[in-house]
Amino acid sequence: MAMVEKIKNKLRGNGFLLAVTIVLFFVLYIAGAILYGDRNFTSPQVFLNLFISNAGLIIAAVGMTFVLITGGIDISIGSVIGVVCMMLAWMMEVKHMSAVVAIILVLAFGVIFGLVQGFLVAYLKIQPFIVTLGGMFFARGLTALISSDMISIENPTFLSLANYRIYFGFITYYNNRGVAMHPYIYLSVVIALLVVAISFVILRYTKFGRAVFAVGGNEQSALLMGLNPKVTKLKVYVLNGFLASLAGFAFCLNSCGGFVEQARGFEMDAIAACVLGGTSMAGGRGRISGTVFGAMVIGIISNGLNLIGVSSYWQLIVKGLIIACAVVLDSQKGNLAPQKKEIIPKAHLERQGEKNGFF
């Protein structure tokens, strides 16, 4: 009985959507194994390809998770990824900069971009949707301003990074021709996994992570506990800008080029991954692990729809329906288990803040 009650308590929180997403992930993977078993769908390499093709999405979705937990939103991520790819291609192929300098510059651009958006949201109190909508148009316009044509990257250093494979020599499988193969991943996957691991630790075990949840849960209570919501939000948007530019670098490692329409609508995939993983768009709840599962579900759905020949327009409709269903489930879950609001004395909040290590 105690175990059952513990599971119920977990499902009342953000664990409900996470549980649904995990089940959906395995259902979709099993369905793919049944439908495309003749294409070696169950091989380790096909599974790892989910991480390879969605490394940029995972990184961007992690940044979006931080933003959503604070009660904000960022719809400029796709445009930032697009301009980062174009900047990398332009700097290396047109201006002949070294790959290292180009990478450092685009990461710095992401930090500055996030800093500006964070200042507008946190200190000028402009709605995050409006701020990031402007950021989306600015970044997409900047992409077209740099070049209206596609630029392919031929820089040897960058191509060596993009093509570098990390093999799992201790795993062997046989392809359809009976040839022994070792599965592998690319550098972009390593970057994504490092981002996931570091972000998980930050969000769960650090003072900053606790502050993010506190600000998203109740900004007034966080203020009474000695936190500075403005500083916390600013840091979150700076982190999100950095991760968006890093996602652009990972994305560019796969595409090895830049063009105006690149990563258009990518922010919807990131939001869908977060919501499917149990992150509440109302703020205060979210998990990095859930976001990863959500990104994998989005990846499986996109790959499956591509395999059966569904157009990109219908794919947008499907993703929109997924987001809508996830939001409805999240809101109805909250309505089914309403919690009584209490007026908490300021002294108690301050003592609780000291106990939790906020200040």
Side-chain angles (χ1 to χ4, degrees):
M1 290 298 293
M3 181 63 69
V4 173
E5 192 64 28
K6 186 176 180 180
I7 294 174
K8 288 182 178 179
N9 291 333
K10 285 283 187 182
L11 292 179
R12 289 191 189 104
N14 59 341
F16 175 75
L17 273 177
L18 176 57
V20 172
T21 302
I22 292 174
V23 172
L24 182 61
F25 172 79
F26 285 107
V27 168
L28 290 174
Y29 190 79
I30 292 171
I34 295 173
L35 293 174
Y36 304 105
D38 57 335
R39 303 185 189 181
N40 221 14
F41 186 88
T42 57
S43 69
Q45 187 57 56
V46 171
F47 179 77
L48 291 177
N49 285 343
L50 284 174
F51 290 91
I52 293 173
S53 58
N54 294 287
L57 175 59
I58 292 173
I59 298 171
V62 168
M64 184 71 78
T65 301
F66 280 87
V67 173
L68 290 179
I69 290 175
T70 62
I73 195 169
D74 187 355
I75 60 172
S76 66
I77 285 180
S79 298
V80 172
I81 290 173
V83 73
V84 163
C85 291
M86 180 63 79
M87 288 173 66
L88 284 170
W90 181 78
M91 285 188 289
M92 285 186 286
E93 299 305 316
V94 178
K95 294 300 180 180
H96 305 290
M97 292 185 183
S98 70
V100 175
V101 172
I103 293 168
I104 293 174
L105 288 176
V106 296
L107 293 179
F109 169 81
V111 171
I112 295 172
F113 194 88
L115 181 64
V116 173
Q117 292 198 140
F119 177 79
L120 295 175
V121 171
Y123 287 89
L124 299 187
K125 297 188 180 299
I126 304 175
Q127 287 293 327
F129 181 84
I130 301 299
V131 171
T132 57
L133 178 65
M136 178 183 72
F137 286 125
F138 173 82
R140 190 62 66 180
L142 182 59
T143 305
L145 188 64
I146 294 173
S147 176
S148 58
D149 299 322
M150 179 178 178
I151 303 176
S152 298
I153 297 176
E154 299 179 0
N155 182 282
T157 303
F158 190 87
L159 290 179
S160 65
L161 292 175
N163 296 322
Y164 183 74
R165 293 181 178 182
I166 301 172
Y167 285 91
F168 296 91
F170 56 91
I171 300 176
T172 303
Y173 71 97
Y174 296 89
N175 60 15
N176 292 333
R177 298 178 180 179
V179 179
M181 307 285 290
H182 297 294
Y184 60 86
I185 57 174
Y186 288 108
L187 181 63
S188 58
V189 178
V190 177
I191 296 172
L193 294 178
L194 286 174
V195 168
V196 168
I198 294 172
S199 299
F200 176 82
V201 173
I202 290 174
L203 197 59
R204 187 161 184 175
Y205 297 108
T206 67
K207 185 186 296 185
F208 172 66
R210 293 193 293 271
V212 170
F213 281 109
V215 170
N218 191 318
E219 189 169 328
Q220 292 300 320
S221 296
L223 190 62
L224 291 174
M225 286 189 291
L227 294 173
N228 190 331
K230 293 180 180 179
V231 173
T232 301
K233 288 183 179 180
L234 180 64
K235 289 180 179 179
V236 165
Y237 276 93
V238 170
L239 175 62
N240 180 61
F242 171 75
L243 291 179
S245 60
L246 188 62
F249 169 58
F251 196 91
C252 197
L253 285 175
N254 287 340
S255 64
C256 290
F259 56 94
V260 175
E261 297 298 313
Q262 198 163 18
R264 183 176 290 276
F266 203 76
E267 60 278 351
M268 293 298 105
D269 289 349
I271 293 172
C274 296
V275 174
L276 282 174
T279 300
S280 174
M281 295 191 71
R285 297 202 312 269
R287 291 181 179 178
I288 298 298
S289 57
T291 296
V292 175
F293 270 104
M296 291 296 99
V297 168
I298 295 298
I300 289 179
I301 292 174
S302 297
N303 290 346
L305 293 177
N306 286 330
L307 283 173
I308 61 179
V310 177
S311 70
S312 59
Y313 303 108
W314 279 105
Q315 291 185 32
L316 290 175
I317 293 174
V318 170
K319 291 172 184 176
L321 291 174
I322 290 172
I323 295 175
C325 291
V327 171
V328 169
L329 282 174
D330 183 62
S331 61
Q332 290 302 310
K333 174 172 60 65
N335 292 335
L336 290 174
Q339 295 181 351
K340 183 179 179 181
K341 294 184 179 180
E342 298 181 8
I343 300 176
I344 305 175
K346 179 179 178 180
H348 174 76
L349 288 172
E350 290 176 346
R351 290 195 300 270
Q352 189 66 27
E354 292 177 354
K355 179 181 178 181
N356 292 334
F358 287 126
F359 58 91

